[in-house]
Amino acid sequence: MLAPGRQPVNFSLQARSRECTENGYPYTRMTFVLVSIVSMLVMLGILVLVHEFGHFAVAKLCGVRVETFSIGFGKRLFGFRHGGTDYRISLLPLGGYVKMAGEMSGESSIGKPANSPAADAAEYDPGSYTNHPRWQRILILCAGPAANFVLALLLLAAVYMGHNEVPNYLSGPAIVDYVQPGSAAAAAGLQRGDRFVHFDGVDNPNWQAISLRSLMNLNHSVPVVVERDGQQKQTSLQLPAEPNPDNFNLRDAGLTLVEQNVPLKIAILAPGMPGAKAGLKVGDAIESVNGIQPHSLQSMILYLRQNGDRPVALSVLRDGKPVNFIITPEKAVEPDGTPAYEIGFNVEPPPSHIARLTAPAAFSQSVRDNIKGTTLVADILRRLVTARMSVRTLSGPVGIARMTGQVASLPGWAPLMAWTSNISLQLGLLNLLPIPILDGGTILFLLIESILRHDLNEQFKERVFQVAFVFLILMTVVILVSDLSKIPAISKLKL
């Protein structure tokens, strides 16, 4: 499962990543696929290894004999033995695992509890996992997710202490820039200049919160309060049923938000397109389109979609002097099949600032953001259970790989560190879910046995684990199929 954009830095990275992909990042498709797969495998491998190290470290502290600590899976390539543990490098470098003595059910009599009358000195193994008190076993199980939480905190704190470039609009209020006539936003009565003071339970939301809460409420209506001319107006916004949630954009609801207060400046001109043919130049600052001043590239895209193939009057500033053009946009088709109309240029990124914090401030901010991320994951799970949110909104291996590839393609280490922090937090939280097979499910069994003061029937536990295994496999298949269906080439297949 993936809940994108839990921190401002992460969401801004996602926005920039999408722009890189949509606007032709200088990678071939095959190269991007390769980068995505390799970067995801490396990232998940590190996260799983950190998770297993948490189990390993606490097991050692509790006196449990760890038989194997493996980096990777499969056949043992090389390693060494120390303190009764085989430290090995295995064939498949996809994370790792820890094997503790007596961990698997049915391993002879070493798993009998220490206070069992049948356990005598000849067969009792003090290093066996199941011979340790339940509270120690619970600590060992909690240590894996805890290691992921610590990694998430440290990575995000490192981002905040480093060269963390954050768009200015992420730290300001969410203000409506453009509303498409006849759209859901227009039906809700939203107008240009409205400032959001409440959106789906979030007070004074910023650009990130509006986008994220919209994604979580596709095909539903959300309560909205805006401030206009000093007065608050309450309404509700009906969000569309996006066939591919990964491609959702606020403009699908007929709405764009202000991303900058200065004119958009042309950074790239596509040769042979209407803009280049009309005489636009790199560096031109767009003052207005048919008299409307856009404060984001999304506003331009939405307005041109509404305008269609009719000519537009484009006013720009060039070397401080106004220059006017009449340009007829060229019709195109977006990846999801939506008609689009293009002039043929891209603009410079919105103004940003470097948010470099001291170590204490960075750690405090990381803690706050990870707490918000935890609340967000809990909210997503609640919405899934109550059918308020579709499973298609989640991302599985394919979606994570694509996003990881996009982030890895960005310059510097900060984007990848922030994204890895995001996934590390979610990995830790998901492992704590009370589902057998996961750490949380085993913890639940141990808590129940502690209350009952005796072990549950082994056959009963095996049956529950089998059912849980089938459930997880089915969920994985559902999410994987949903992931694949979001790929344009596959979604167009008529099966």
Side-chain angles (χ1 to χ4, degrees):
M1 185 182 75
L2 179 62
R6 62 184 175 87
Q7 297 106 352
V9 62
N10 285 356
F11 202 92
S12 67
L13 294 177
Q14 289 186 48
R16 289 164 58 191
S17 297
R18 284 195 300 269
E19 289 171 5
C20 286
T21 301
E22 291 173 357
N23 298 322
Y25 200 83
Y27 276 171
T28 64
R29 184 176 296 275
M30 288 304 298
T31 302
F32 178 76
V33 170
L34 181 61
V35 169
S36 298
I37 294 174
V38 172
S39 57
M40 182 194 71
L41 292 179
V42 171
M43 179 188 70
L44 292 182
I46 292 173
L47 296 184
V48 172
L49 187 60
V50 168
H51 181 96
E52 293 301 321
F53 179 79
H55 292 313
F56 166 81
V58 176
K60 282 286 191 180
L61 289 174
C62 291
V64 174
R65 188 172 68 257
V66 179
E67 297 179 346
T68 306
F69 183 88
S70 176
I71 298 178
F73 294 91
K75 182 180 179 181
R76 184 183 192 273
L77 297 179
F78 58 88
F80 63 93
R81 297 191 66 86
H82 177 74
T85 302
D86 177 21
Y87 297 89
R88 64 170 67 170
I89 303 293
S90 298
L91 182 62
L92 301 176
L94 306 177
Y97 67 91
V98 170
K99 183 180 184 301
M100 295 174 283
E103 181 181 10
M104 307 302 292
S105 61
E107 288 189 6
S108 69
S109 60
I110 63 175
K112 293 182 179 178
N115 58 359
S116 171
D120 54 32
E123 51 185 18
Y124 173 67
D125 179 6
S128 172
Y129 169 77
T130 51
N131 282 342
H132 280 69
R134 293 189 182 94
W135 67 268
Q136 288 189 356
R137 284 181 271 166
I138 290 175
L139 284 180
I140 293 171
L141 290 167
C142 289
N148 287 125
F149 298 151
V150 170
L151 180 63
L153 286 170
L154 294 178
L155 286 175
L156 198 55
V159 171
Y160 288 141
M161 286 188 292
H163 188 87
N164 179 28
E165 185 177 350
V166 181
N168 293 341
Y169 65 84
L170 288 180
S171 56
I175 299 175
V176 177
D177 186 35
Y178 181 73
V179 175
Q180 180 181 4
S183 66
L190 298 178
Q191 297 180 14
R192 182 183 178 92
D194 286 350
R195 180 178 70 86
F196 285 98
V197 296
H198 180 89
F199 193 96
D200 189 40
V202 179
D203 293 327
N204 297 315
N206 59 11
W207 182 93
Q208 172 199 2
I210 298 289
S211 300
L212 183 56
R213 304 302 293 194
S214 296
L215 179 61
M216 294 169 60
N217 285 280
L218 295 180
N219 201 29
H220 289 87
S221 179
V222 295
V224 171
V225 178
V226 297
E227 183 178 88
R228 183 188 306 159
D229 299 327
Q231 296 183 339
Q232 293 190 357
K233 298 185 179 295
Q234 185 172 351
T235 183
S236 60
L237 176 63
Q238 178 66 41
L239 294 162
E242 174 61 60
N244 185 351
D246 283 1
N247 292 334
F248 173 75
N249 190 296
L250 279 176
R251 66 174 185 258
D252 295 335
L255 170 71
T256 62
L257 301 178
V258 173
E259 293 185 7
Q260 60 188 68
N261 292 318
V262 295
L264 304 177
K265 185 171 287 188
I266 296 176
I268 299 174
L269 270 173
M273 293 291 287
K277 291 178 179 179
L280 290 177
K281 294 183 178 180
V282 171
D284 286 349
I286 300 173
E287 284 284 281
S288 65
V289 183
N290 283 350
I292 300 173
Q293 183 178 6
H295 295 94
S296 73
L297 180 61
Q298 299 301 322
S299 298
M300 280 282 297
I301 294 173
L302 185 58
Y303 181 80
L304 291 176
R305 178 192 295 178
Q306 172 203 342
N307 183 76
D309 58 2
R310 295 186 295 273
V312 295
L314 192 67
S315 178
V316 305
L317 280 179
R318 178 180 297 170
D319 299 326
K321 299 178 180 179
V323 183
N324 299 314
F325 299 91
I326 301 296
I327 303 176
T328 301
E330 181 176 297
K331 186 174 182 180
V333 179
E334 295 186 3
D336 61 357
T338 304
Y341 294 87
E342 302 176 347
I343 293 177
F345 64 83
N346 202 346
V347 299
E348 294 182 358
S352 61
H353 62 279
I354 304 301
R356 182 174 291 160
L357 304 179
T358 62
F363 186 78
S364 297
Q365 186 62 46
S366 178
V367 169
R368 288 192 293 270
D369 285 339
N370 277 281
I371 291 175
K372 291 179 182 178
T374 301
T375 304
L376 176 62
V377 172
D379 192 17
I380 288 175
L381 291 173
R382 178 181 62 82
R383 289 168 183 263
L384 288 172
V385 171
T386 58
R388 174 81 183 184
M389 187 173 174
S390 170
V391 176
R392 283 183 54 79
T393 309
L394 305 181
S395 290
V398 177
I400 294 175
R402 185 176 64 224
M403 188 65 219
T404 304
Q406 291 174 355
V407 173
S409 302
L410 296 173
W413 287 97
L416 192 56
M417 290 172 65
W419 179 245
T420 304
S421 170
N422 191 354
I423 301 301
S424 185
L425 175 71
Q426 295 185 47
L427 178 63
L429 291 173
L430 294 182
N431 266 282
L432 286 178
L433 291 178
I435 300 175
I437 297 180
L438 300 180
D439 293 331
T442 307
I443 292 171
L444 178 61
F445 274 133
L446 289 171
L447 290 174
I448 293 174
E449 290 176 344
S450 298
I451 295 173
L452 298 177
R453 294 181 177 275
H454 66 78
D455 290 345
L456 295 172
N457 180 274
E458 196 65 33
Q459 288 186 339
F460 167 75
K461 288 198 290 186
E462 287 180 0
R463 294 294 178 269
V464 173
F465 275 98
Q466 289 170 356
V467 172
F469 178 75
V470 172
F471 170 77
L472 288 178
I473 290 296
L474 290 176
M475 280 297 298
T476 301
V477 170
V478 169
I479 294 177
L480 182 59
V481 170
S482 176
D483 256 2
L484 293 173
S485 69
K486 297 173 186 176
I487 300 176
I490 295 179
S491 65
K492 294 177 181 178
L493 295 177
K494 304 295 184 181
L495 300 179

